[in-house]
Amino acid sequence: MGLFVLQRKGKGGRFANMTDAQFVEFLQDLRQHSIERIIFNDEIVLTGNARGKKKIIECEFTKKLSCNKFAIPEDLNFDNCIFENIEFPDIGGDALHFDNCTFRETFTLHRTNLNKIWFNGCVFEKEIKIYGGSGHSVFEINKSPQRESHIKDSIRFYGNQFAYVNIRDTTVEKSIDFDNVSISSIFIADGIYNEIGFSNQKTLKKLTIQGDTEARDKLIVRNFHAPHLGIEGNVLFQNAQIDKMDLSYLSQNDGKLRMQNVRLSEKLIIRDSDLGRIVFNEVDLNGAKISFDNSYIGKCIFSNVK
């Protein structure tokens, strides 16, 4: 850190300025492992390969951070950082990790080929947009020891081929949208989700929306809709409160759908669907409006439904 001149920023302590070229040099220098309390006032474009594990602590990026065919052979970790704008096209390698970070504008990933993408305890003021992606990638949003994650807008997956998506202990104020994705497993756990929806989705391999405890108020989904969906694997709703659910034009292609310890509080719509063998166990429909229209429900199993 002796390379950089420290400057004072208000009453918060000492900060340093670093140019975009110096930041890229840090990422490519095996001798340096971390930097902290840096203000970046330039737009930064990452190129080439990072070398070694890197940790960026309590830094602020006041302009756009992007990349051009940038690779992370090991772990690149941002901790307690503030970002104005991030857009990462064609980023690859091992792990991109954000802890307790704040994103002021849209966070965008294009055609990522990373093994892991983690967000723990992060706050997103605007959207998250994920385009494309490798079939071996793992994408996770979770809480940190300090706080839960909070998305004040939407998170949108477009044409992804991830191995695994895990979202838990998070508040999403608008929606989680899956558009024409091929994701081996989607897992959504405790949190408050205004809307979860699938569009342009012919098949679904595995979806689990499951609270960590039997207390259904720990996982709340205001609206779930998946029109024209074909289920090939297992779909499970468990330990959750779901206000509105629309299963119109649903078909089961050798898949299984199960609802276990779920409260449907407002509306259940099933229209032009072949439900096949769906299990409703310990489902509370008390007070909900139920609409069945031109659908086959002959193989459904109902147990302890009220």
Side-chain angles (χ1 to χ4, degrees):
M1 291 295 295
L3 176 63
F4 312 113
V5 180
L6 290 173
Q7 296 182 347
R8 185 170 295 276
K9 182 188 177 189
K11 298 180 180 179
R14 294 170 66 84
F15 282 75
N17 286 340
M18 181 185 278
T19 67
D20 56 340
Q22 289 169 332
F23 184 55
V24 172
E25 180 183 343
F26 155 72
L27 293 175
Q28 296 177 348
D29 188 348
L30 277 171
R31 298 168 299 175
Q32 299 189 66
H33 304 290
S34 66
I35 55 173
E36 57 184 301
R37 301 180 71 78
I38 304 289
I39 300 175
F40 297 93
N41 291 313
D42 299 324
E43 182 173 330
I44 297 175
V45 180
L46 305 179
T47 59
N49 295 345
R51 302 181 66 194
K53 293 183 178 180
K54 304 292 183 181
K55 191 162 188 175
I56 296 95
I57 306 166
E58 294 184 10
C59 293
E60 183 173 352
F61 297 80
T62 65
K63 299 290 177 62
K64 184 176 182 179
L65 175 62
S66 62
C67 69
N68 181 15
K69 296 182 179 179
F70 179 64
I72 307 169
E74 296 186 58
D75 183 52
L76 178 57
N77 180 208
F78 294 90
D79 187 354
N80 276 285
C81 293
I82 299 174
F83 301 93
E84 187 65 28
N85 187 2
I86 289 186
E87 184 171 0
F88 284 159
D90 296 309
I91 186 170
D94 188 29
L96 181 61
H97 196 173
F98 298 90
D99 290 317
N100 301 308
C101 292
T102 298
F103 303 86
R104 290 174 173 160
E105 295 295 333
T106 300
F107 180 100
T108 308
L109 280 174
H110 297 269
R111 302 177 300 276
T112 177
N113 195 33
L114 290 163
N115 291 331
K116 307 180 192 73
I117 308 159
W118 292 323
F119 301 91
N120 296 323
C122 291
V123 175
F124 298 85
E125 302 287 345
K126 299 291 179 65
E127 284 184 309
I128 307 172
K129 295 182 179 180
I130 316 294
Y131 297 90
S134 171
H136 63 262
S137 295
V138 172
F139 182 96
E140 296 193 16
I141 300 178
N142 205 339
K143 66 180 179 180
S144 69
Q146 290 75 32
R147 64 186 185 184
E148 293 187 350
S149 289
H150 191 166
I151 303 170
K152 297 184 180 182
D153 202 291
S154 299
I155 175 169
R156 305 182 187 277
F157 296 88
Y158 300 93
N160 306 106
Q161 297 180 356
F162 290 151
Y164 184 57
V165 169
N166 177 18
I167 302 173
R168 62 189 307 138
D169 293 304
T170 298
T171 294
V172 180
E173 293 192 13
K174 290 191 176 179
S175 63
I176 304 175
D177 297 324
F178 297 94
D179 188 337
N180 191 27
V181 299
S182 178
I183 299 173
S184 298
S185 178
I186 300 170
F187 188 92
I188 299 173
D190 287 3
I192 301 175
Y193 307 96
N194 185 61
E195 182 176 330
I196 300 173
F198 292 81
S199 57
N200 302 309
Q201 191 69 35
K202 294 181 180 180
T203 60
L204 184 62
K205 296 178 181 178
K206 184 176 182 180
L207 170 66
T208 304
I209 297 178
Q210 181 179 29
D212 289 333
T213 69
E214 293 185 0
R216 293 180 292 211
D217 60 353
K218 300 297 183 182
L219 171 56
I220 298 174
V221 180
R222 302 297 184 197
N223 186 12
F224 178 89
H225 58 92
H228 301 280
L229 184 66
I231 300 175
E232 289 189 343
N234 294 322
V235 174
L236 173 67
F237 300 90
Q238 185 171 13
N239 303 334
Q241 175 181 315
I242 302 174
D243 294 344
K244 301 175 184 177
M245 175 176 282
D246 188 344
L247 299 178
S248 297
Y249 312 105
L250 181 77
S251 63
Q252 291 217 58
N253 304 324
D254 298 322
K256 297 178 181 179
L257 191 154
R258 181 181 183 91
M259 301 185 67
Q260 173 78 36
N261 188 35
V262 171
R263 171 168 168 70
L264 278 164
S265 61
E266 294 185 23
K267 186 183 295 185
L268 172 63
I269 300 174
I270 299 175
R271 180 185 301 114
D272 295 312
S273 296
D274 180 358
L275 298 187
R277 185 180 176 86
I278 293 184
V279 177
F280 294 86
N281 187 31
E282 298 181 11
V283 176
D284 185 354
L285 299 171
N286 190 26
K289 181 180 178 180
I290 304 172
S291 175
F292 289 99
D293 184 12
N294 193 32
S295 297
Y296 177 71
I297 61 172
K299 294 183 180 180
C300 293
I301 299 174
F302 300 89
S303 176
N304 295 323
V305 175
K306 62 179 180 179

